[in-house]
């Protein structure tokens, strides 16, 4: 079986690439073709061993012209992905099947609606990372929907007992062990970064740390608000690498995630894997992650008392003594590992690949 993954798979900051790398790593009997374009130092460090995997071959878009694929698997709705799947099917005379993992609730704009409808005309099979993300396709193409396979994380790396404090950013080191609330998310409207600023202003005795990518055209207004608010208890780090994220999670008392629209956020899964309780909205896919008080709390941000309730819940976690925190951390980390390990997610995709290809060959 030969599977095309039309993505720069060696980008460790990309959650989409992380998902597809798991498919490669945990299905050594399946041949994969994917693309390479490392960017960060971490990409360059890790990509060599990854490309040494015997079941992975480096290709490009021209590979579609001279290879016959049994399956094209994509996990983001871009024009390039659509073109890759379409051409692979055309060249193979429809032998190739097109699988799409839906990673975000769709659609949210006219552009996304157009692309979604275009995808529906060529995609053969769908899975989604959450029930929330699957709602539209289950309505529009129920016979093509193959179920939910969640996002995952690497429990060997995001381990609450791991070393890694040396990568804690200097801006956070100066807190000298004081509790802090962490937010890791892109700066864009649906993530509601302004809510973290409001929390910091409401709770001047509580420390808040924010890290993330500024989405061009969407995030600059939030970045300006963060920089101009002048709050001494709010630390903005910008985009940081995975080593820093792990160190930040190792020392965080709580993880604040006020986003209102998600597929299944990898940052929340990683926080849970590190045993950090999460306070999030009860919207989109978040209730599928925060399934009880052993995970954190669900509180919306649009109620009259929302700011007060968020503050109260965060204070519960920042005020935990070491003994209670360790017990909470251990239980949450075990729960996350049992549900979201990349090993189980990658193998689930392998099973699905085989089912799709075998069904296609027998029809």
């Amino acid at each position: 079986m030969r599977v095309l993954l039309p993505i720069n798979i060696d980008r460790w900051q990309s959650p989409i690439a992380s998902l597809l790398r798991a498919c490669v790593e945990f299905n050594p009997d399946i041949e994969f073709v994917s693309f390479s374009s490392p960017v960060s130092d971490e990409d360059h460090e890790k990509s060599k061993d990854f490309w040494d995997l015997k079941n992975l071959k480096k290709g490009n878009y021209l590979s579609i012209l001279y290879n016959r694929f049994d399956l094209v698997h994509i996990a983001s709705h871009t024009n390039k992905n659509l073109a890759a799947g379409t051409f692979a099917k055309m060249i193979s005379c429809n032998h190739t099947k097109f699988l799409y993992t839906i990673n975000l609730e769709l659609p949210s704009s006219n552009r996304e609606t157009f692309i979604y409808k275009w995808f529906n005309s060529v995609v053969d099979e769908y899975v989604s990372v959450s029930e929330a993300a699957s709602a539209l396709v289950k309505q529009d193409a129920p016979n093509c929907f193959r179920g939910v396979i969640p996002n995952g994380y690497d429990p060997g790396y995001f381990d609450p007992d791991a070393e890694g404090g040396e990568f804690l950013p200097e801006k956070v080191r100066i807190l000298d062990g004081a509790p802090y609330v962490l937010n890791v998310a892109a700066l864009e409207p649906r993530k509601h970064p302004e809510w973290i600023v409001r929390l910091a202003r409401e709770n001047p005795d509580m420390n808040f740390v924010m890290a993330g990518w500024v989405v061009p055209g969407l995030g600059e207004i939030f970045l300006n608000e963060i920089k101009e608010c002048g709050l001494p208890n709010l630390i903005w780090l910008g985009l940081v690498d995975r080593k820093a994220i792990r160190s930040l999670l190792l020392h965080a008392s709580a993880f604040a995630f006020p986003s209102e629209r998600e597929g299944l956020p990898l940052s929340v899964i990683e926080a849970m894997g590190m045993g950090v309780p999460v306070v999030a909205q009860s919207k989109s896919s978040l209730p599928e992650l925060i399934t009880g008080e052993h995970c954190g709390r669900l509180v919306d941000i649009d109620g009259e008392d929302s700011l007060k309730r968020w503050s109260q819940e965060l204070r519960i976690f920042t005020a935990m003594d070491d003994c209670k925190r360790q017990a909470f951390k251990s239980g949450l980390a075990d729960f996350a590992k049992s549900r979201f390990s990349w090993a189980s997610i990658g193998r689930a995709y392998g099973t699905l690949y085989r089912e799709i290809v075998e069904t296609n060959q027998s029809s």
Side-chain angles (χ1 to χ4, degrees):
M1 183 193 309
R2 181 179 292 151
V3 178
L4 173 65
L5 306 175
I7 189 175
N8 292 320
I9 203 168
D10 47 16
R11 293 190 179 180
W12 262 255
Q13 288 281 0
S14 166
I16 306 300
S18 296
L19 164 64
L20 298 177
R21 281 197 303 273
C23 296
V24 175
E25 290 180 35
F26 296 103
N27 294 285
D29 59 320
I30 297 175
E31 180 182 321
F32 292 88
V33 176
S34 191
F35 307 156
S36 175
S37 182
V39 175
S40 68
D41 290 342
E42 184 178 30
D43 295 348
H44 288 281
E45 290 169 10
K46 292 182 175 294
S47 63
K48 183 181 184 303
D49 288 341
F50 185 70
W51 285 109
D52 283 343
L53 293 174
K54 294 181 180 179
N55 64 323
L56 177 63
K57 299 190 184 316
K58 192 178 296 186
N60 52 45
Y61 281 97
L62 290 177
S63 304
I64 301 171
L65 300 176
Y66 54 81
N67 279 290
R68 178 179 166 119
F69 297 97
D70 297 292
L71 190 72
V72 177
H73 181 193
I74 66 167
S76 57
H77 57 285
T78 66
N79 293 338
K80 286 184 177 180
N81 278 337
L82 180 62
T86 302
F87 280 117
K89 288 182 67 172
M90 289 174 55
I91 290 168
S92 71
C93 299
N94 284 329
H95 165 83
T96 301
K97 289 297 180 182
F98 195 170
L99 171 66
Y100 175 24
T101 295
I102 304 172
N103 254 293
L104 187 64
E105 285 184 274
L106 294 173
S108 68
S109 65
N110 290 335
R111 177 182 177 276
E112 287 188 355
T113 299
F114 174 76
I115 295 176
Y116 168 75
K117 289 181 178 179
W118 193 3
F119 266 63
N120 271 353
S121 66
V122 293
V123 170
D124 299 295
E125 309 282 355
Y126 291 93
V127 294
S128 68
V129 298
S130 64
E131 292 292 344
S134 71
L136 191 61
V137 74
K138 284 197 290 188
Q139 170 188 302
D140 294 345
N143 295 331
C144 299
F145 183 63
R146 302 297 292 261
V148 172
I149 301 178
N151 275 330
Y153 79 110
D154 180 358
Y157 188 83
F158 289 99
D159 178 355
D161 297 321
E163 298 294 328
E166 68 271 22
F167 299 109
L168 196 66
E170 185 60 34
K171 288 182 179 180
V172 181
R173 282 183 192 275
I174 62 175
L175 296 178
D176 197 26
Y180 63 83
V181 176
L182 178 64
N183 169 258
V184 179
L187 292 193
E188 59 175 314
R190 69 181 173 92
K191 303 282 190 177
H192 289 290
E194 80 284 354
W195 188 251
I196 308 299
V197 177
R198 289 188 64 187
L199 286 167
R201 185 175 287 115
E202 179 75 9
N203 300 277
D205 60 331
M206 191 184 302
N207 296 306
F208 292 83
V209 177
M210 299 180 71
W213 175 53
V214 181
V215 179
L218 295 174
E220 290 85 357
I221 187 171
F222 300 110
L223 180 60
N224 290 336
E225 181 180 3
I226 293 167
K227 289 183 175 180
E228 294 173 3
C229 68
L231 296 172
N233 62 325
L234 178 60
I235 298 172
W236 165 250
L237 298 175
L239 185 63
V240 297
D241 63 20
R242 286 200 320 155
K243 292 177 182 177
I245 294 294
R246 183 174 65 174
S247 291
L248 289 164
L249 288 169
L250 275 171
H251 296 277
S253 299
F255 192 86
F257 196 76
S259 179
E260 66 179 19
R261 176 173 171 260
E262 296 289 331
L264 202 70
L266 189 58
S267 60
V268 172
I269 296 173
E270 290 171 349
M272 293 170 61
M274 294 292 286
V276 182
V278 180
V279 180
Q281 291 211 70
S282 59
K283 295 180 179 179
S284 190
S285 63
L286 276 307
E288 298 176 49
L289 285 175
I290 316 303
T291 57
E293 292 193 352
H294 63 292
C295 300
R297 304 287 192 274
L298 291 169
V299 185
D300 289 339
I301 66 172
D302 47 10
E304 290 184 4
D305 64 343
S306 292
L307 195 60
K308 179 181 178 181
R309 291 183 60 202
W310 270 74
S311 299
Q312 289 173 338
E313 299 297 354
L314 290 172
R315 285 185 181 278
I316 290 173
F317 297 123
T318 56
M320 277 185 178
D321 60 44
D322 290 343
C323 183
K324 189 172 182 179
R325 187 183 306 283
Q326 188 56 44
F328 189 103
K329 178 176 287 192
S330 178
L332 179 52
D334 288 345
F335 170 77
K337 187 175 181 178
S338 70
R339 290 190 61 190
F340 303 114
S341 166
W342 273 136
S344 61
I345 306 306
R347 291 178 185 125
Y349 273 103
T351 299
L352 179 61
Y353 291 166
R354 295 177 188 92
E355 290 175 356
I356 292 172
V357 172
E358 288 171 5
T359 300
N360 187 37
Q361 290 174 345
S362 63
S363 62

